[in-house]
Amino acid sequence: MGSILNDERNAQRLLKMTAGTLILLDESGNCIDIQVQDEGLWFLNEKLLKGQNLFSLFPQETYRQLYPNFRDVLTRKCVSSQSYEMKLNDQTYYFRCTMQPYDNLVLCQYKDITESSIQRREILKRNKELDEIQKIVLLSHWRYESRSNEMYFSGSTGIFTDITNCSLDADIFRQHIVQEDLESYDRWTERLLKGDLSDTFTYRVKHHDKIHHIRSKCFSREKFKDGHIILEGYVQNITEIQQNRNDINLLTDAINNASGSVFAADEEGHLIFTNRRYREQHHIKDKEAYSQLKVYEINSYFKDKEDWDNYVENVKQGHRSQHFTTYHPFPLCPEIIAIESYAHWITDDNGKGTIWTFGRDITQRIVAEQKLKHFNLIMNRSLEKLPASIVVKDINDGFKYVYRNREFFNRIIYQEDPIGKDDFYFHSYEDALRKREEDTQIAQSGIEKHWVVEDKDGDGNTVYIDKRKLKIEEEGLPPLLLSIDWDITDMEKMKRELIEAKEKAETSDRLKSAFLANMSHEIRTPLNAIVGFSRIIAETEDADERNEYYSIVEENNERLLKLINEILDLSKIEADMVELSIRPISMHALCTEIGQTFQFRCGEQVQLIHDPSDPSLLAMADNSRVFQIVSNLINNSLKFTAQGAIHYGYRQKDHFIEVYVRDTGGGIPEEKLRKIFDRFVKGNEMAQGSGLGLAICKMLVEKMGGQIQVTSEVGKGSTFSFTLPEA
């Protein structure tokens, strides 16, 4: 057979079958010639196109897509083949245009691809929807290939990867299966390889320390001549479903095994659920037998069907309480005196309503209440006039009051009768919660508690109460909590006054001698100078000498005044009479102020340097007292620093602000370093000062919640630092 495709006689036929519609355009886009084979597109018409500009017929959007490619083919002599979209009269068309140079012209081949493009877009849309559904339901397609021993997943289960497609070695995948499920998984896989695809298998995998429940199904098996097997199926992550199922099972078991009775009934009174306790109380032996029973036929609380209907309507509309008590409810169980029940109307998604009723046996409580009434009668007669507050609470009944005497009634609760109420009824939530925790601790441990507290009476006066709490247990009776409060205000005040007076006397006597000894020396020194030089001034006629002596007197006056101020500060601090204004303060601003204060006090040989610090740091302290402390430390450094520098600043240390003053002075000997913060201790006995400044600094720092310390080396300098709480 000769060549068919190269035979010129077949050229026209082949062109019609493959080319679509051909249009020959000049460089301006005018149609020179046309051969129409595809009439699917509205513009592929010889009468309409021939001699006309093709691009003038297209909508503007299509023109902007097509024309640049046309110019590119014309100028670069290249081939362009693309698909285009064209919207016209609320219709969307898709066509493929292949353009190629033809001498100085452009040959365009057009094919209508509208139908295939719409189908392709619909497929892509459906695939995207399917992917989203798979993500929502955690569903994935899987394939196993025995030749490579690979597992391939397409979709998302949210276990091994978040991407849509992944592969995993089958042995590695098997390592993630929970050990208890591994044997069953292997047997299932073996059945699949043999061709048994009937089972849907559920197992667990562990990934990133989390257990996932997996449901898997194989729907395809293909075996090749070389023994190679390909399995395909789907896998779904049902962890949440399994957890919900477990929660429901747990809830069902809890309700079924509850100590109280539970039943559910429809509007007509047909029982649709009962728990074990309810069936025992009504002697229903068969678990399914209750489905034939009606509530109003077996429950003595309801007289008949009409009574039940009225009850249902009232519960539905909320016209009456859902709480009710049935006395002597079970003729077959005479030992049960009463059942306390709570009813709730619950509707499902379809609007169908069900009454759920939860009941508990309160026989023991009723018996206990009767016994407690008798107990109260005895207690009231014997203890009502006792000058102490006596309270008894029922531990099993939420620590409710079952007894109080008149003293308790008058002192705390006044006009309210506490019987049957708890602490939350009379006290704030915080106070009641504290009392409840205290009562619970004693009830659980059985250990008596005895303490003295400071309290307020109804008039706001301070009172001291001797409190005693203990658990009382008696066979056949519920456990009780007994509280006895004695008002010992007068005795306690007298005791504390005596102790305070004794301590003050001892302290005063001890300190008096030391204070007087030191003060007599410290005050005598500037006074002697003042008196002595005052006499010399009176006898001196030389003006220069008099001015010199005046300066000495003035200096000693200032020294004496400072000493007196320090004594007063020390006295106030010791007497706890110093009032501190604790608030957030800016350490940067304080250090800046100190620098301005001392800038003219330093000699030519000494520099005062404020080290850079974080300006945002705040301390909780008294601003004026911190200024006083830092000033005192800098003044001390100036006394003992002949040359060099004094650095000061602050830094963050844990949850505190550490303030420091570091100098290059002579340092402090080790024997004095240990006592430097004691009263009347000086770093240098030859230096001026009372020896009280550092003691005052230490007391002020500690009063603001900080600590002060010092490090020093003789000949190199000292560093004083103290801490303040961070704001």
Side-chain angles (χ1 to χ4, degrees):
M1 183 180 292
S3 177
I4 298 174
L5 297 177
N6 293 320
D7 192 337
E8 293 182 0
R9 293 173 297 178
N10 297 324
Q12 187 68 22
R13 181 183 176 190
L14 291 171
L15 183 63
K16 290 182 179 181
M17 294 174 64
T18 60
T21 295
L22 297 177
I23 301 176
L24 195 62
L25 304 176
D26 64 11
E27 60 183 7
S28 296
N30 297 317
C31 179
I32 304 300
D33 197 7
I34 181 172
Q35 184 183 58
V36 179
Q37 302 295 338
D38 188 353
E39 298 181 352
L41 295 172
W42 66 275
F43 61 86
L44 298 180
N45 184 292
E46 184 174 355
K47 294 180 180 180
L48 178 65
L49 286 180
K50 199 165 185 178
Q52 300 294 321
N53 188 286
L54 175 67
F55 299 111
S56 66
L57 302 174
F58 289 123
Q60 190 68 21
E61 186 64 32
T62 308
Y63 168 79
R64 285 197 293 266
Q65 298 176 36
L66 188 61
Y67 186 73
N69 295 332
F70 168 77
R71 298 302 306 172
D72 198 40
V73 172
L74 193 63
T75 57
R76 297 176 55 198
K77 306 299 180 183
C78 61
V79 178
S80 173
S81 183
Q82 293 188 26
S83 298
Y84 300 92
E85 178 183 296
M86 181 169 61
K87 295 182 179 180
L88 188 69
N89 298 330
D90 297 328
Q91 295 290 327
T92 302
Y93 302 89
Y94 301 92
F95 63 91
R96 187 165 190 83
C97 178
T98 301
M99 294 180 286
Q100 52 189 328
Y102 189 83
D103 296 333
N104 293 324
L105 306 173
V106 175
L107 179 64
C108 301
Q109 176 189 350
Y110 289 87
K111 283 190 175 181
D112 184 7
I113 59 171
T114 300
E115 185 175 353
S116 61
S117 295
I118 292 174
Q119 289 176 350
R120 185 168 61 255
R121 282 169 169 75
E122 187 66 23
I123 291 172
L124 291 174
K125 179 183 177 183
R126 297 304 179 195
N127 286 339
K128 186 177 180 180
E129 291 175 351
L130 181 60
D131 288 342
E132 293 301 319
I133 291 172
Q134 287 180 330
K135 290 178 182 178
I136 293 173
V137 300
L138 300 177
L139 186 67
S140 174
H141 172 268
W142 65 266
R143 187 176 81 255
Y144 169 73
E145 295 185 4
S146 64
R147 183 181 289 117
S148 61
N149 198 36
E150 286 280 321
M151 296 284 291
Y152 299 90
F153 295 92
S154 176
S156 177
T157 58
I159 301 177
F160 295 105
T161 180
D162 293 330
I163 61 177
T164 304
N165 300 292
C166 69
S167 61
L168 195 67
D169 184 87
D171 292 333
I172 295 177
F173 176 76
R174 187 177 177 277
Q175 293 173 8
H176 288 278
I177 297 174
V178 175
Q179 186 66 35
E180 292 83 358
D181 298 344
L182 197 55
E183 184 178 349
S184 300
Y185 174 82
D186 289 339
R187 289 199 301 268
W188 177 67
T189 305
E190 199 175 311
R191 292 196 300 272
L192 296 181
L193 293 172
K194 291 179 181 180
D196 183 4
L197 311 182
S198 60
D199 291 347
T200 298
F201 185 63
T202 301
Y203 57 100
R204 294 166 295 170
V205 298
K206 186 175 183 180
H207 187 62
H208 291 161
D209 297 325
K210 186 177 180 181
I211 300 296
H212 301 269
H213 293 260
I214 302 298
R215 179 195 293 145
S216 186
K217 172 69 176 179
C218 180
F219 55 72
S220 173
R221 174 183 179 273
E222 187 176 3
K223 186 173 183 180
F224 298 86
K225 291 181 179 180
D226 60 355
H228 174 52
I229 297 176
I230 295 179
L231 300 175
E232 290 188 80
Y234 71 84
V235 60
Q236 184 181 13
N237 187 344
I238 60 169
T239 303
E240 187 174 352
I241 297 174
Q242 191 64 39
Q243 289 175 345
N244 290 338
R245 185 179 296 153
N246 292 340
D247 291 344
I248 292 173
N249 290 337
L250 286 173
L251 181 60
T252 303
D253 289 342
I255 293 175
N256 196 51
N257 294 296
S259 59
S261 60
V262 181
F263 75 87
D266 61 17
E267 278 191 75
E268 299 299 318
H270 297 99
L271 285 169
I272 57 178
F273 176 83
T274 61
N275 74 336
R276 175 187 54 79
R277 182 58 177 159
Y278 184 87
R279 293 192 297 272
E280 289 176 353
Q281 292 171 345
H282 292 82
H283 288 253
I284 303 174
K285 297 181 180 180
D286 187 356
K287 188 177 180 180
E288 305 299 328
Y290 64 79
S291 61
Q292 307 298 322
L293 300 174
K294 297 179 180 178
V295 178
Y296 54 84
E297 293 176 346
I298 62 174
N299 195 320
S300 61
Y301 182 79
F302 307 104
K303 300 176 183 177
D304 48 29
K305 176 66 163 59
E306 184 179 356
D307 195 22
W308 167 259
D309 292 340
N310 292 334
Y311 174 75
V312 171
E313 192 63 29
N314 286 326
V315 172
K316 286 169 62 177
Q317 298 181 6
H319 290 167
R320 95 181 202 183
S321 174
Q322 297 175 329
H323 167 263
F324 62 95
T325 301
T326 308
Y327 294 92
H328 304 287
F330 312 120
L332 299 177
C333 299
E335 68 278 5
I336 300 178
I337 296 176
I339 295 291
E340 186 178 57
S341 302
Y342 299 84
H344 303 273
W345 179 257
I346 300 174
T347 56
D348 58 20
D349 295 338
N350 298 320
K352 185 178 180 181
T354 305
I355 283 187
W356 283 81
T357 303
F358 304 85
R360 62 170 178 165
D361 186 353
I362 58 172
T363 300
Q364 186 178 3
R365 191 182 78 188
I366 291 175
V367 172
E369 288 175 352
Q370 292 173 346
K371 291 182 178 179
L372 285 173
K373 286 180 180 179
H374 184 252
F375 172 77
N376 278 342
L377 180 62
I378 298 173
M379 291 286 290
N380 280 331
R381 291 179 179 178
S382 58
L383 302 175
E384 239 182 22
K385 298 188 181 293
L386 192 69
S389 298
I390 300 177
V391 177
V392 182
K393 299 178 184 178
D394 188 349
I395 296 176
N396 289 347
D397 193 23
F399 295 95
K400 291 179 180 177
Y401 295 127
V402 295
Y403 176 79
R404 58 85 187 123
N405 68 340
R406 187 171 298 278
E407 177 67 20
F408 178 88
F409 183 84
N410 291 336
R411 188 173 65 82
I412 298 179
I413 299 185
Y414 299 96
Q415 298 179 359
E416 288 281 353
D417 186 356
I419 301 301
K421 303 179 180 68
D422 59 17
D423 289 317
F424 290 94
Y425 185 88
F426 298 104
H427 304 283
S428 67
Y429 179 80
E430 291 77 12
D431 290 342
L433 186 62
R434 177 182 53 79
K435 292 176 178 290
R436 178 61 56 85
E437 291 174 350
E438 184 181 276
D439 292 346
T440 302
Q441 182 182 1
I442 296 172
Q444 291 177 349
S445 66
I447 300 175
E448 179 181 338
K449 185 177 181 180
H450 181 213
W451 73 108
V452 176
V453 300
E454 183 178 324
D455 204 351
K456 299 287 184 182
D457 62 11
D459 298 325
N461 301 315
T462 301
V463 294
Y464 296 94
I465 307 298
D466 182 288
K467 301 179 73 69
R468 191 182 299 269
K469 280 190 179 184
L470 64 153
K471 183 180 181 182
I472 299 176
E473 293 182 283
E474 186 70 28
E475 187 177 353
L477 293 173
L480 302 174
L481 189 72
L482 174 63
S483 299
I484 304 175
D485 294 356
W486 291 88
D487 189 344
I488 58 169
T489 302
D490 294 339
M491 183 173 60
E492 188 67 20
K493 285 183 178 179
M494 186 181 298
K495 175 183 173 184
R496 296 189 180 201
E497 287 173 359
L498 289 172
I499 293 174
E500 185 177 352
K502 181 176 179 294
E503 290 177 349
K504 285 183 177 180
E506 291 176 349
T507 303
S508 176
D509 187 61
R510 187 173 60 253
L511 296 176
K512 180 177 65 176
S513 298
F515 180 80
L516 290 175
N518 284 280
M519 283 300 96
S520 64
H521 172 74
E522 295 295 334
I523 293 174
R524 190 182 295 113
T525 300
L527 277 176
N528 288 338
I530 293 169
V531 173
F533 282 100
S534 296
R535 291 174 180 173
I536 294 173
I537 290 171
E539 299 172 356
T540 302
E541 297 180 357
D542 186 275
D544 292 336
E545 286 187 17
R546 288 171 68 91
N547 288 335
E548 183 181 351
Y549 296 148
Y550 276 133
S551 298
I552 296 173
V553 171
E554 176 107 10
E555 183 180 340
N556 281 275
N557 278 334
E558 291 179 359
R559 182 181 175 187
L560 183 61
L561 181 62
K562 183 181 178 185
L563 176 61
I564 293 172
N565 287 333
E566 287 178 342
I567 293 171
L568 291 174
D569 263 354
L570 188 67
S571 301
K572 288 180 180 179
I573 295 172
E574 286 185 338
D576 200 21
M577 296 174 62
V578 175
E579 295 183 1
L580 299 177
S581 178
I582 305 298
R583 57 182 179 83
I585 64 171
S586 170
M587 296 304 303
H588 180 76
L590 186 141
C591 288
T592 302
E593 184 182 356
I594 289 174
Q596 294 170 350
T597 303
F598 283 89
Q599 62 180 339
F600 300 113
R601 298 189 188 180
C602 300
E604 295 181 357
Q605 303 297 318
V606 180
Q607 285 185 296
L608 181 62
I609 301 172
H610 176 198
D611 294 336
S613 306
D614 185 354
S616 66
L617 292 178
L618 302 177
M620 289 298 294
D622 186 310
N623 190 80
S624 63
R625 293 298 184 178
V626 177
F627 186 95
Q628 177 185 347
I629 296 167
V630 178
S631 298
N632 198 325
L633 296 178
I634 293 176
N635 273 322
N636 284 346
S637 294
L638 288 172
K639 289 179 187 178
F640 304 110
T641 306
Q643 61 181 4
I646 299 173
H647 291 259
Y648 74 101
Y650 61 94
R651 56 199 168 215
Q652 191 173 33
K653 186 176 182 182
D654 297 328
H655 297 294
F656 290 86
I657 305 296
E658 184 180 58
V659 187
Y660 62 88
V661 176
R662 184 175 66 252
D663 62 51
T664 57
I668 304 171
E670 186 177 351
E671 63 272 11
K672 290 194 174 181
L673 197 61
R674 295 189 296 270
K675 302 179 180 179
I676 196 67
F677 294 108
D678 293 346
R679 301 172 193 175
F680 309 110
V681 175
K682 300 180 183 180
N684 187 340
E685 295 296 338
M686 302 301 295
Q688 291 186 358
S690 64
L692 295 177
L694 290 178
I696 292 172
C697 288
K698 181 176 184 295
M699 295 171 74
L700 287 174
V701 168
E702 291 177 350
K703 201 168 183 65
M704 289 187 290
Q707 297 290 329
I708 191 169
Q709 60 183 4
V710 60
T711 59
S712 185
E713 188 174 351
V714 176
K716 292 186 178 181
S718 306
T719 299
F720 285 83
S721 63
F722 63 93
T723 58
L724 298 170
E726 184 182 7

